[in-house]
Amino acid sequence: MNARPRSLAWDATAAIEALAAADTALWVWTPAEDQLRFTGATRALGLGPLAPECSGAGFVASTLPQDRSLAEKMLKPQEEGAEIAVRLRMRGAETCLWRGVWLEDGLRAAGVVALEAKFTGSDRDTLTGLLDRRAFIARVGEVLTQAGEYELVVGDVDRLRRLNEALGHERTDLVLSALGSRLAAAFPKDAAAARIGEDEFAIIVPKTASHTSYRVREALEQPLRVAGFDIYPTVSIGAVIVEGGPDAPDASELLRRVELAVESAKAAGRGGSAAYGRALESDSLSRLALEADLRNAFVRGEITPFFQPIVNLKTGAVAGFEALARWRHPRRGLVPPDEFLGLTADLGMMNDLGLLMMTQSARQLAEWIQRHPLAGKLFCSVNLSVGEIERPHLCEDVARVIKEAGLPRGALKLEVTEGDIMRDTARAAEVLQSLKDVGASLALDDFGTGFSSLSYLARLPFDTLKIDRYFVLTMNKDEGSAKIVKSVVNLGRDLSLEVVAEGVENAELAALLLEAQCHYGQGFGYAPALPAQEAEVYLAESLADGTAPLKQRSA
């Protein structure tokens, strides 16, 4: 008897088992639903906490901080057929390659994600030719089988995201490639130079080698020129000393320790150095506790805007305020912004912070306008965080906030940075115009410190330029700073833009700015950022006195 032919059918279970066995997963991203779905080996890829589906913000927050700009770029809608190829590392997992394509007129994207080793089959970083993270860990394990004292050093290139914004990814890759070549040339081949992250380089050498951290810094901090720009890299360095032999720690654990030292070095400012010690472990636990507190702070209403006055230099009247985020911690008191803003970014919550600040500031401004009609056209500036200009529904949120607060057109002023504009000027122009159309006014923050083109500035719908405080603080002592301030003021007038000078610390600087015909001043010479109640008292007293008080001496 002939056997019945078996029909060929799609076996979903078998397909999922095959994906899991290959340490591979399928993903589908639908921006309109803010939903990223996974099928396959999610746990092996570091996606277990996100599976089977998560939001875009949750996905970005789960990547390592240095990879988050790439994760955001991956989720940004593109035209149909556009390909996706991104290297990302999730927390607690190895680096993975994400590949896919945009479908259905850019309404969704789909693709595959797998461990980088599965795709490449190589132990080399494709950009620099150095060992990659996986191969470096293996090499460290081999080295530590031999008795002796060794030093593992990691150098983290500072401000790589700023470099990406200014130069673009392709030119930044040229910088990283050059840095990799310099590191390799500074040490013998058996030192196992590696690129272990987007902006991290590593080396392991016998402790008998002298001044290893100094040699790493000397190799990576040499200036270079790319695309007409002089680049002066700075590096935050972490180091750990370890004994090789049968009792040596696991290589992955050792790398974790040295990366804790790198984080400690970065906390001290650009170009810092730190060695691993047990105290860093407790610092790391404290950071975890602070992360949990910060998430709850949004729910409990502990984060509120403080308001710094912006004064009309000609009349001395308070023209408006800039809203700045402050965190009132129930036990620690007022947490400084530099302690929680970076953490907010690491958690992927900057968009949440931006919306919160807009909403609360708009409500407060509406109350002040109603209670103080003599204040005239009072405004409030709110900063858009890096990348917020690209987030979906920004314009709809701004329109809703303005309408619910009942604010007049232009009263809510949104401040954006040059880096946000320069990433995609055509898209930025569309978003900025939409923000103007729904009733917001626009300011370009820290003008003169970035890489913007004047041709872009002339085409973009800004109302205000803000001069960086450094130029203002030094204009009474440095002729170059004074010329820059005057040039920006004249440029603003030529383009029919108002100009705000930050960093007005005393009456002398205010007089120089007035002489240069600058419109507004802002700084500690008038007042720091104040709680809402104190800011209203300042406004009321200024209206009663006819002018805002100004310190006569330097702060």
Side-chain angles (χ1 to χ4, degrees):
M1 188 171 83
N2 294 332
R4 288 182 60 188
R6 294 172 59 188
S7 61
L8 297 177
W10 175 259
D11 187 343
T13 301
I16 293 173
E17 290 175 348
L19 287 170
D23 285 341
T24 304
L26 302 178
W27 59 268
V28 179
W29 164 238
T30 310
E33 299 175 8
D34 191 23
Q35 185 182 71
L36 185 60
R37 299 194 303 276
F38 305 98
T39 302
T42 53
R43 186 178 298 278
L45 302 174
L47 302 171
L50 303 177
E53 61 187 44
C54 67
S55 66
F59 170 70
V60 172
S62 297
T63 62
L64 291 189
Q66 61 265 32
D67 289 351
R68 284 179 185 152
S69 60
L70 294 174
E72 292 169 349
K73 182 179 179 181
M74 170 184 151
L75 300 182
K76 183 179 178 182
Q78 299 183 52
E79 62 184 6
E80 182 173 341
E83 295 184 356
I84 296 169
V86 181
R87 295 174 70 255
L88 297 176
R89 186 173 170 219
M90 314 303 291
R91 290 180 182 272
E94 297 296 328
T95 301
C96 292
L97 282 182
W98 295 71
R99 292 189 173 167
V101 66
W102 283 92
L103 308 167
E104 301 173 351
D105 294 327
L107 294 179
R108 66 188 181 99
V112 63
V113 54
L115 294 173
E116 185 177 33
K118 295 286 185 179
F119 277 116
T120 63
S122 170
D123 63 355
R124 294 283 165 178
D125 172 58
T126 55
L127 181 62
T128 63
L130 304 180
L131 293 177
D132 61 18
R133 186 182 186 91
R134 186 187 187 96
F136 181 69
I137 291 174
R139 183 68 62 84
V140 171
E142 294 172 4
V143 169
L144 294 182
T145 60
Q146 304 297 317
E149 196 173 37
Y150 299 90
E151 185 174 12
L152 175 58
V153 176
V154 170
D156 187 300
V157 181
D158 296 320
R159 300 187 305 169
L160 187 69
R161 175 175 288 189
R162 177 69 182 267
L163 205 61
N164 267 324
E165 293 171 356
L167 299 179
H169 288 286
E170 292 78 8
R171 291 170 178 171
T172 302
D173 283 349
L174 294 177
V175 174
L176 292 170
S177 179
L179 295 181
S181 297
R182 291 175 175 181
L183 182 66
F187 292 89
K189 289 185 178 180
D190 59 0
R195 181 179 178 227
I196 59 172
E198 184 184 12
D199 53 2
E200 284 186 318
F201 295 89
I203 201 94
I204 185 167
V205 294
K207 185 64 175 70
T208 53
S210 59
H211 308 297
T212 304
S213 294
Y214 173 79
R215 291 172 66 189
V216 170
R217 186 179 299 284
E218 187 177 42
L220 298 180
E221 290 193 346
Q222 292 294 321
L224 65 158
R225 189 170 180 83
V226 173
F229 293 104
D230 291 318
I231 309 299
Y232 297 88
T234 59
V235 183
S236 297
I237 290 181
V240 64
I241 306 297
V242 60
E243 284 284 344
D247 296 326
D250 178 76
S252 296
E253 165 62 17
L254 191 64
L255 194 55
R256 183 193 70 82
R257 293 177 186 177
V258 77
E259 288 182 326
L260 276 181
V262 170
E263 290 301 318
S264 177
K266 293 175 71 173
R270 281 186 294 154
S273 298
Y276 171 79
R278 287 294 180 186
L280 295 183
E281 298 289 354
S282 59
D283 288 345
S284 181
L285 292 174
S286 297
R287 179 182 169 87
L288 287 175
L290 194 61
E291 284 184 6
D293 285 349
L294 182 57
R295 291 184 185 277
N296 291 329
F298 281 85
V299 178
R300 295 193 295 255
E302 295 169 6
I303 298 178
T304 59
F306 276 34
F307 300 89
Q308 185 172 36
I310 299 173
V311 176
N312 186 311
L313 290 167
K314 186 174 182 179
T315 66
V318 174
F321 295 89
E322 179 178 359
L324 300 166
R326 296 293 185 266
W327 179 12
R328 292 188 182 277
H329 193 281
R331 296 183 305 278
R332 300 179 55 179
L334 201 61
V335 181
D338 58 357
E339 287 189 23
F340 78 86
L341 289 181
L343 186 58
T344 304
D346 289 348
L347 294 175
M349 301 180 71
M350 289 301 288
N351 289 341
D352 301 290
L353 179 63
L355 183 57
L356 181 149
M357 289 292 292
M358 274 193 290
T359 303
Q360 294 192 13
S361 300
R363 290 172 182 167
Q364 186 61 73
L365 178 61
E367 293 179 12
W368 288 341
I369 290 174
Q370 185 176 12
R371 287 200 292 263
H372 303 279
L374 294 179
K377 295 182 178 180
L378 202 64
F379 65 85
C380 185
S381 296
V382 178
N383 294 283
L384 292 182
S385 61
V386 173
E388 192 174 0
I389 193 173
E390 299 171 356
R391 78 167 173 86
H393 312 303
L394 172 64
C395 295
E396 292 91 331
D397 287 339
V398 172
R400 176 179 51 78
V401 166
I402 291 174
K403 182 178 180 181
E404 290 178 354
L407 290 176
R409 291 187 66 85
L412 180 64
K413 183 171 292 189
L414 303 178
E415 297 187 7
V416 298
T417 64
E418 293 183 68
D420 271 347
I421 301 303
M422 295 301 293
R423 275 202 302 273
D424 186 346
T425 52
R427 173 60 180 160
E430 294 177 6
V431 175
L432 292 175
Q433 188 56 57
S434 297
L435 292 171
K436 285 286 290 281
D437 292 342
V438 300
S441 55
L442 302 170
L444 182 58
D445 198 12
D446 296 340
F447 182 73
T449 61
F451 300 87
S452 66
S453 164
L454 296 182
S455 63
Y456 294 140
L457 181 61
R459 296 201 305 266
L460 296 172
F462 286 107
D463 307 284
T464 304
L465 292 181
K466 296 196 76 173
I467 309 175
D468 184 73
R469 67 190 308 270
Y470 169 79
F471 301 119
V472 177
L473 283 170
T474 57
M475 67 180 297
N476 59 340
K477 303 172 185 176
D478 182 75
E479 185 178 352
S481 292
K483 288 180 178 179
I484 289 174
V485 170
K486 291 176 182 177
S487 297
V488 174
V489 172
N490 291 333
L491 175 65
R493 289 189 174 277
D494 290 343
L495 296 175
S496 300
L497 302 175
E498 295 180 326
V499 180
V500 177
E502 298 182 287
V504 182
E505 300 292 302
N506 51 58
E508 180 187 1
L509 293 176
L512 289 173
L513 290 166
L514 181 59
E515 182 182 342
Q517 298 185 312
C518 184
H519 301 93
Y520 301 108
Q522 174 184 353
F524 284 92
Y526 293 106
L530 303 169
Q533 186 175 5
E534 293 180 27
E536 184 171 10
V537 171
Y538 186 96
L539 173 63
E541 290 179 348
S542 302
L543 291 173
D545 297 341
T547 184
L550 179 61
K551 295 178 182 178
Q552 297 299 313
R553 58 180 177 83
S554 296

